Amino acid sequence: MGPNAHSYCLLRARNSLPYVLRTIHQSHSKHTRDSGRRRVVVTGLGVVSPVGCNVEAAWQTILSGQSKVGRLVGETYDKLPCRVAATIDKNDIDLEKCFSKTELKTMARATAFALIAAKEALSSASWMPAVEDETACQRTGVAIGMGMVDLMDICETNEALKKGYNRVSPFFVPRILPNMPAGQLSIRYGFRGPNHAVSTACATGAHAIGDAFRFIQHGDADVMVCGGAEACISPLGIAGFCRLRALSTAFNDEPTASSRPFDERRDGFVMGEGSAIFVLEELQHALRRGAPIYGEILGYGLSGDASHLTAPREDGTGALLAMQRALADGGVTVADIGYVNAHATSTPIGDAIEARAIRTLFGEHTRSLAVSSTKGAHGHLLGAAGNLEALFVVMACRHGLLPPTVNLHNVTDDMAGLHYVANSSEPWEGKHRRRVALKNSFGFGGTNACLCIGEYSE
């Protein structure tokens, strides 16, 4: 065997599932949690979403098992294969009442959602340091991402340019930059710690929380305001995803049934919009000021599929690596996990691969594990998916209630063997001394993130 053939065989071996699993096991033993590192807790939460525009309202809607997916109205949508989406009810949030006309000219819709959610999160954390408090402002950072910019903003500006150069808004570029939710928030509150923006497709929100978690761990900040925002529902956005054959098209006349993760009738995801924002804080900093503590971020895992532009690896090793790395980073084992909040978007391929990865990782512990995806209720918020769903994980750990998967009625054989929380919430039962969960988020380009989130324990 020549050197090239030997290298090829070695590469094939390293890409095999048994090799990956052995490597995962070895890495877990090498990367146990350092008990001396800075602990990071959740002290504030805020949300703007199709299921509610404050934390309590959104949580109650999720527990009730309601779908908030509706019809897309308008002549331009009538010509498209998909005519459903989960949008923000204007009766809940009217941006023209929340911001001045001048302010709205400077920001995209997603940025506005992020600022509203951040206001709730900071209020719930009781963290509003005065600009004159140099230390507090310099030790507070921002990490907010966006998956896609508003495509209609670009189209409309292009039309304006055809009429004349002076018709182009001077705020056009700031409106479409993905880092502007973070930038606008930092400016508004005077936060001068890390100013970070993530854009990793549908893993954006989870990556933003995970990166903020690491910033605090490594001493770059004591407080991080983090999450994601998305508002790209438009005829062009819907058309683009339809051309990818990614969206649901079979339930246009029954919108509330269209997003159905893990169900045998699933035929694609449903687009959503909104934002969820976390306030993360170093534990001792939070305790010294008597901050409320909603939960704890225990670990963070990342991986790449290195496989396909839009489809996950068929063997699920990308998801496996992200989950295992989150466990190892958090110093916990599969036996400690009682719940997995799946990425499951309601696509035929993706849901099945994720279910396979979960079964493979948890093995004999699968029988004591609960799994659900809340996307059945609120659709897929793309860059704001991981953070919104992580918020529901924090609430599940805090209250001992498992959020359901809406529209889940029948599971195909390739996804059997897991306990899916279907249609109705369930109490978090089991012998776990502490409620600990995993939150998966995967994005186009093969980017994967997993957060390990736990009930706060002294």
Side-chain angles (χ1 to χ4, degrees):
M1 182 183 291
N4 290 336
H6 180 269
S7 298
Y8 174 75
C9 291
L10 182 61
L11 179 62
R12 285 286 301 275
R14 287 180 175 175
N15 283 332
S16 68
L17 187 57
Y19 179 87
V20 171
L21 291 175
R22 287 198 302 273
T23 304
I24 284 173
H25 177 74
Q26 292 164 3
S27 68
H28 177 73
S29 64
K30 291 179 181 179
H31 296 87
T32 55
R33 181 178 180 183
D34 177 3
S35 60
R37 72 183 189 179
R38 288 159 59 98
R39 291 174 64 183
V40 180
V41 293
V42 180
T43 57
L45 296 168
V47 66
V48 172
S49 78
V51 291
C53 292
N54 62 71
V55 171
E56 188 57 31
W59 178 236
Q60 291 305 319
T61 301
I62 288 296
L63 292 180
S64 72
Q66 299 177 60
S67 168
K68 291 298 183 178
V69 177
R71 286 185 177 84
L72 288 168
V73 179
E75 184 179 346
T76 50
Y77 290 113
D78 291 342
K79 302 174 183 178
L80 302 177
C82 173
R83 297 188 292 279
V84 297
T87 58
I88 304 297
D89 190 331
K90 193 172 182 178
N91 292 324
D92 290 336
I93 292 291
D94 186 344
L95 296 184
E96 293 180 357
K97 293 181 180 179
C98 297
F99 302 95
S100 68
K101 290 182 179 180
T102 301
E103 288 175 320
L104 288 175
K105 287 180 180 179
T106 71
M107 66 179 74
R109 183 174 167 87
T111 298
F113 288 158
L115 291 175
I116 294 169
K119 182 178 181 180
E120 181 187 8
L122 289 164
S123 177
S124 71
S126 298
W127 185 246
M128 293 281 189
V131 176
E132 296 79 14
D133 189 340
E134 291 283 339
T135 300
C137 288
Q138 290 180 14
R139 298 293 297 168
T140 301
V142 180
I144 300 176
M146 183 191 301
M148 287 176 57
V149 299
D150 185 348
L151 299 178
M152 291 309 296
D153 210 344
I154 297 173
C155 292
E156 290 169 2
T157 302
N158 185 57
E159 290 301 313
L161 178 59
K162 292 178 182 178
K163 297 176 182 178
Y165 161 76
N166 290 328
R167 296 292 187 94
V168 175
S169 168
F171 299 110
F172 169 62
V173 171
R175 283 173 62 92
I176 65 169
L177 290 177
N179 74 312
M180 276 302 156
Q184 289 263 19
L185 184 64
S186 173
I187 293 167
R188 180 166 293 236
Y189 293 98
F191 298 150
R192 299 197 295 281
N195 188 318
H196 183 58
V198 183
S199 187
T200 49
C202 304
T204 295
H207 275 139
I209 294 170
D211 290 352
F213 164 68
R214 292 267 172 91
F215 289 149
I216 295 175
Q217 277 194 324
H218 288 267
D220 296 308
D222 294 324
V223 180
M224 290 293 301
V225 185
C226 56
E230 199 74 81
C232 58
I233 297 173
S234 67
L236 181 56
I238 296 290
F241 279 110
C242 280
R243 291 291 289 161
L244 278 175
R245 297 185 178 179
L247 298 183
S248 172
T249 59
F251 298 91
N252 288 329
D253 295 328
E254 193 181 358
T256 57
S258 56
S259 183
R260 45 196 321 114
F262 297 121
D263 187 77
E264 66 177 358
R265 296 178 65 198
R266 68 192 187 279
D267 74 318
F269 70 79
V270 173
M271 287 180 67
E273 63 179 359
S275 178
I277 300 296
F278 281 52
V279 176
L280 301 186
E281 195 165 345
E282 191 274 324
L283 176 60
Q284 295 306 315
H285 186 276
L287 292 176
R288 281 195 298 271
R289 68 182 192 86
I293 297 179
Y294 297 98
E296 182 171 2
I297 308 298
L298 301 174
Y300 175 39
L302 307 86
S303 73
D305 281 343
S307 177
H308 190 272
L309 284 176
T310 59
R313 287 183 67 98
E314 289 187 9
D315 61 9
T317 52
L320 271 171
L321 287 169
M323 288 189 286
Q324 182 57 43
R325 289 166 181 171
L327 292 174
D329 188 47
V332 299
T333 69
V334 293
D336 297 313
I337 303 298
Y339 171 57
V340 174
N341 184 287
H343 178 68
T345 62
S346 188
T347 59
I349 294 175
D351 292 13
I353 290 174
E354 185 175 9
R356 184 182 311 146
I358 293 170
R359 283 198 311 265
T360 301
L361 177 62
F362 283 87
E364 64 180 19
H365 296 288
T366 300
R367 62 179 180 271
S368 59
L369 181 72
V371 178
S372 73
S373 169
T374 58
K375 289 185 175 75
H378 52 65
H380 186 12
L381 271 65
L382 308 181
N387 48 309
L388 175 63
E389 293 152 27
L391 184 150
F392 297 137
V393 175
V394 170
M395 297 296 281
C397 290
R398 180 176 173 83
H399 297 291
L401 292 171
L402 297 170
T405 305
V406 177
N407 296 317
L408 177 53
H409 301 294
N410 295 292
V411 176
T412 51
D413 291 341
D414 58 348
M415 294 191 301
L418 292 173
H419 170 59
Y420 297 101
V421 182
N423 300 304
S424 300
S425 62
E426 298 177 5
W428 187 321
E429 297 177 340
K431 300 179 181 178
H432 304 90
R433 293 184 300 274
R434 181 187 189 188
R435 290 190 284 268
V436 181
L438 293 182
K439 168 61 210 150
N440 288 336
S441 285
F442 314 133
F444 282 178
T447 180
N448 307 305
C450 181
L451 297 168
C452 184
I453 298 171
E455 175 186 15
Y456 171 62
S457 173
E458 296 182 5

